[in-house]
Amino acid sequence: MCGVLRAADAGKKAVLMGWVNRRRDHGNLLFIDLRDRTGVTQIVFNTDRDRAVHEKAETLRNEYVIAVIGKVKMRDPNTINPNMATGEVELVADELRILNESKLPPFLPSDTALTNEETRLKYRYIDLRRDVMQFNIETRHKVAKAIRDYLSSQGFFEIETPFMTRSTPEGARDYLVPSRVQLGTFYALPQSPQLFKQILMISGFDKYFQIVRCFRDEDLRADRQPEFTQIDLEMSYPQPESVWSVVEGFLTAAFAAAGYTIQTPFPRMDYDEAIRLYGIDKPDLRLPPFTDVRECFSPENLQELAINPNLPVIAIRIPRVGELSRKERDDIKPMFHSKGGARVYEDFKRIANRYADAAKKIAEKTGMAEGDLIVLVAGSAQASSGETAFAPHRKVTPQELAIYASAGLLRLALAQKYAERHQCFQKGDFRFLWVTNFPMFEWDESEKQWMAAHHPFTSPHEQDMKLLEEGVESLHDPLSPLSAVRALAYDIVLNGTELGSGSIRIHRQDVQSRIFRALGMNEEEAKARFGFFLEALEYGTPPHGGIALGLDRIVMILAGAESLREVIPFPKTARAVDLMVDAPTPVSEKQLKELGISVRKTVT
RNA sequence: GGGGACGUAGUUCAGUUGGUUAGAACGCUGCCCUGUCACGGCAGAGGCCGCGGGUUCGAGUCCCGUCGUCCCCGCCA
């Protein structure tokens, strides 16, 4: 292979095959850098050695595929290239075969400037030849293999579940597949193998995993593709801790495969605490948490500043940002997206001038050092509370949540904007976190009702069963005790990215029915949608639970990539189009007719 | 569904206040070159300025629309 020859191989005969990466033509002396996925080796064609072979080599162009037979030669000391792994040697060509010519590609894998993504995606086969992409795809393979090996070693079976399955119109939109044999009916591609893996537990395969494609017909983002790969697993008789330790085990193996050592066990944090300290359920631990500095102000101060004294006053600290210019300070306000009347005080100096005492306490309480940026976020005193009134059962009220969430988004925006200054985002710094005890239900303001925060198969806390019972008929009551029901659900978070989400599931049919009822699904509806599953639950279902992690996101972080598209060989654009194969496309009248489908010109 | 950025040579980009023939680098083609490695030298080819309309004596530049790519909000149980 082109990347393997070393000084020790000098004198040997070798055959190399690959692509012409670069040619340097010196007249009677011609150098070719020959590339394959392992690397690059310099080939030398010399008229002194063989005039005919050299002449043939003159016709070589970029991306031709060739085979070269020659002798590995130690380079003269002054021609050694220390920047190449193979730089001590070169292959002196005795024979050249042109295996295939190449049209001039729209861009070259050896280009240093990165071509625009549209062209890269259209000519993905060229793009994938670039060494960065080769590295990313190799990393992906190694990570997946390490995970497979680890889970197999722990007694997990990899079991396949169907891609053509049943539409469950909850959550994300389904991709539908029409059935020809059953006219007018549709399969759906799975959003996740959730119910199948639970049924596998009922079937006695007490440790299951699958590295599996999932499909969701929702709008895309840099970290969201319509088809993506999950590391899906489920086990019987687990505590949350047993799931966590399995995940910590395979992540250790996966990161080791990519050359990184990580520390386990990962820290854990209650959902409520994550909200209070970071304003988000996926905290990035690489930067300092919030500090509530309400106590640093006197009641009179708060009144003058028109700050609501009943809500937290949050100090966001970003280290080492240094003095901000007037313009930079002004730029903070537009970065702030207020929720529920939250207000931003971006000019800490002004606060310090007016309230020296308070500022001193804040500096102390936040651990502020010279050059640190402090921004305050607080509730407005006169904010009309047009929002839904207090949910008295929650530790964090909706009003508080609004403040925390606004501050959380600003914290991330500032962290990203000043990443070069605070230097907290270092390659190889992996800060994992388990976020636990999520609320079971979330209030949907547009539907004016409670929804499952995770999914409806998540088990509530044993201690909260009573609240569930009390709240089971209060779907539309924002004050319902449902608000306080905690779920045995947990997320794994890495550097502010949600890698995965899991839970202990409901294994009793009566509890499952109660959850459906609390979600406003009557027995008939529940039966129509999940009847097969409810029935299965009645035949001796063991307690079980599991998790699913996004493989693409893990590889993205390991590869240091900004987008999932960099670690998925054939990804889709923001409009869910594959530019290489040009999909989706209309289909022929004949195909539609066979399926009994007609297409409307507009969606109404 | 909403907001924002971008679209000029094969590629990456520049293009002033609207004003002669739209430039550079890399790549490409030809010639020269025996130690280069992002080789070098000389010469050359290559443009529907995304598309459509408008304003103007005159549009790459201003306006409207449209298409495409990217980012964000909504959405993602």
Side-chain angles (χ1 to χ4, degrees):
Chain A
M1 303 290 276
C2 295
V4 302
L5 293 177
R6 292 294 181 272
D9 301 303
K12 290 185 193 160
K13 187 178 160 185
V15 184
L16 290 183
M17 283 176 270
W19 284 273
V20 174
N21 198 48
R22 274 217 160 80
R23 51 176 293 206
R24 292 177 293 280
D25 188 350
H26 290 241
N28 289 318
L29 183 66
L30 174 64
F31 299 102
I32 294 287
D33 288 343
L34 195 65
R35 182 195 75 238
D36 64 18
R37 82 182 158 85
T38 63
V40 170
T41 297
Q42 173 166 284
I43 315 287
V44 187
F45 295 93
N46 196 325
T47 45
D48 288 350
R49 185 141 185 130
D50 191 318
R51 188 161 284 280
V53 171
H54 176 272
E55 201 169 298
K56 197 169 177 187
E58 295 261 88
T59 68
L60 293 178
R61 293 296 179 269
N62 283 325
E63 299 308 303
Y64 278 27
V65 184
I66 62 171
V68 179
I69 302 173
K71 203 170 150 197
V72 182
K73 178 179 155 266
M74 206 55 203
R75 295 199 197 181
D76 290 341
N78 57 324
T79 63
I80 284 176
N81 185 347
N83 301 320
M84 281 171 88
T86 60
E88 284 189 289
V89 295
E90 59 194 6
L91 187 70
V92 182
D94 291 316
E95 207 175 316
L96 167 65
R97 264 180 229 158
I98 298 176
L99 303 178
N100 210 340
E101 301 183 352
S102 169
K103 268 174 68 174
L104 177 66
F107 58 97
L108 291 171
S110 58
D111 279 348
T112 39
L114 198 55
T115 302
N116 83 68
E117 212 174 345
E118 211 174 331
T119 312
R120 287 178 54 205
L121 289 175
K122 177 156 186 212
Y123 298 92
R124 190 59 157 177
Y125 37 88
I126 307 287
D127 187 44
L128 288 170
R129 288 180 191 168
R130 294 188 306 118
D131 56 359
V132 175
M133 296 307 280
Q134 295 269 321
F135 172 80
N136 290 355
I137 300 303
E138 180 181 353
T139 301
R140 190 181 173 107
H141 160 75
K142 285 179 173 167
V143 165
K145 179 172 188 311
I147 293 170
R148 278 206 170 88
D149 289 348
Y150 178 83
L151 289 173
S152 303
S153 78
Q154 299 296 305
F156 284 78
F157 290 173
E158 183 163 23
I159 305 175
E160 289 159 284
T161 51
F163 275 7
M164 291 161 63
T165 179
R166 187 189 159 85
S167 178
T168 51
E170 309 270 319
R173 288 184 196 91
D174 287 323
Y175 277 101
L176 297 175
V177 180
S179 162
R180 177 186 59 78
V181 180
Q182 310 278 337
L183 264 198
T185 63
F186 295 82
Y187 302 96
L189 303 180
Q191 298 174 26
S192 92
Q194 183 62 34
L195 294 179
F196 285 104
K197 69 174 172 176
Q198 290 194 237
I199 283 178
L200 284 170
M201 294 305 106
I202 300 174
S203 312
F205 296 101
D206 59 4
K207 286 179 173 177
Y208 143 94
F209 84 101
Q210 189 179 187
I211 296 183
V212 63
R213 203 69 56 83
C214 300
F215 307 86
R216 292 181 190 174
D217 185 5
E218 294 294 342
D219 287 351
L220 291 84
R221 288 283 191 285
D223 62 352
R224 266 167 31 195
Q225 283 273 312
E227 51 176 313
F228 57 99
T229 303
Q230 294 219 311
I231 304 148
D232 191 50
L233 73 88
E234 194 79 4
M235 42 204 295
S236 291
Y237 315 107
Q239 296 298 310
E241 288 78 4
S242 26
V243 177
W244 301 346
S245 87
V246 168
V247 171
E248 285 163 1
F250 78 63
L251 283 178
T252 300
F255 276 63
Y260 294 104
T261 308
I262 58 176
Q263 297 297 319
T264 56
F266 304 151
R268 295 154 196 185
M269 187 181 291
D270 261 22
Y271 168 84
D272 288 331
E273 199 185 350
I275 296 296
R276 268 201 297 263
L277 292 177
Y278 298 93
I280 194 164
D281 60 1
K282 42 181 183 179
D284 189 336
L285 300 186
R286 293 174 300 177
L287 289 160
F290 299 153
T291 314
D292 185 348
V293 296
R294 184 169 16 173
E295 305 304 327
C296 301
F297 290 99
S298 70
E300 296 76 37
N301 291 164
L302 292 176
Q303 200 168 7
E304 272 179 56
L305 286 162
I307 288 175
N308 185 337
N310 299 315
L311 291 174
V313 177
I314 292 161
I316 303 169
R317 180 168 73 89
I318 312 284
R320 291 183 293 278
V321 172
E323 194 82 5
L324 289 193
S325 70
R326 171 71 198 275
K327 181 173 183 315
E328 285 172 327
R329 263 203 320 275
D330 289 347
D331 283 346
I332 292 180
K333 264 227 159 77
M335 290 163 75
F336 182 71
H337 298 285
S338 172
K339 300 186 180 193
R343 284 171 49 182
V344 63
Y345 299 84
E346 76 281 4
D347 195 344
F348 187 66
K349 250 198 180 142
R350 218 153 94 198
I351 302 261
N353 285 339
R354 266 177 79 185
Y355 310 100
D357 196 41
K360 201 176 145 215
K361 286 187 197 161
I362 291 172
E364 214 164 277
K365 197 167 182 196
T366 56
M368 178 186 186
E370 185 71 29
D372 287 4
L373 172 67
I374 296 276
V375 175
L376 301 184
V377 175
S380 168
Q382 65 265 36
S384 59
S385 193
E387 305 277 310
T388 307
F390 264 70
H393 301 275
R394 283 239 170 130
K395 277 195 203 152
V396 179
T397 67
Q399 288 81 355
E400 289 170 347
L401 179 63
I403 309 289
Y404 289 128
S406 306
L409 289 175
L410 181 62
R411 174 177 175 269
L412 291 181
L414 288 170
Q416 196 159 24
K417 177 157 182 184
Y418 294 115
E420 290 202 352
R421 300 204 208 162
H422 62 63
Q423 298 275 308
C424 290
F425 296 164
Q426 294 296 324
K427 187 176 176 336
D429 181 16
F430 299 118
R431 304 288 293 274
F432 289 92
L433 176 71
W434 288 107
V435 179
T436 66
N437 294 321
F438 278 77
M440 181 81 196
F441 301 99
E442 255 168 16
W443 180 253
D444 183 334
E445 191 58 40
S446 61
E447 301 283 327
K448 300 278 181 210
Q449 66 173 40
W450 292 97
M451 311 261 283
H454 185 55
H455 57 58
F457 314 107
T458 302
S459 175
H461 262 266
E462 197 60 46
Q463 304 96 292
D464 296 341
M465 286 295 184
K466 236 184 118 187
L467 290 167
L468 174 62
E469 231 161 285
E470 288 168 27
V472 76
E473 300 297 347
S474 56
L475 176 68
H476 298 288
D477 175 10
L479 305 177
S480 161
L482 288 182
S483 66
V485 177
R486 289 165 303 160
L488 283 172
Y490 34 82
D491 278 6
I492 173 85
V493 175
L494 170 55
N495 295 352
T497 299
E498 180 196 319
L499 285 189
S501 193
S503 63
I504 302 300
R505 328 293 183 190
I506 298 165
H507 65 278
R508 277 171 31 198
Q509 201 270 344
D510 56 333
V511 178
Q512 186 66 71
S513 295
R514 195 170 307 148
I515 294 286
F516 282 145
R517 202 158 82 239
L519 290 169
M521 227 186 281
N522 64 35
E523 209 164 310
E524 271 168 45
E525 256 180 286
K527 222 174 194 167
R529 283 188 192 172
F530 303 110
F532 70 100
F533 182 66
L534 289 173
E535 192 180 1
L537 281 178
E538 295 186 290
Y539 289 97
T541 301
H544 60 285
I547 194 165
L549 279 75
L551 176 69
D552 314 279
R553 286 187 182 174
I554 293 172
V555 178
M556 176 172 98
I557 290 172
L558 281 171
E562 295 287 324
S563 155
L564 287 186
R565 294 184 298 274
E566 300 300 309
V567 298
I568 296 175
F570 304 105
K572 295 185 175 52
T573 70
R575 283 176 62 253
V577 168
D578 181 329
L579 291 175
M580 186 181 74
V581 305
D582 185 24
T585 57
V587 295
S588 73
E589 229 6 86
K590 187 177 168 227
Q591 282 173 293
L592 287 176
K593 202 173 163 195
E594 216 166 34
L595 296 165
I597 291 177
S598 70
V599 177
R600 292 193 202 178
K601 290 284 180 287
T602 55
V603 179
T604 46

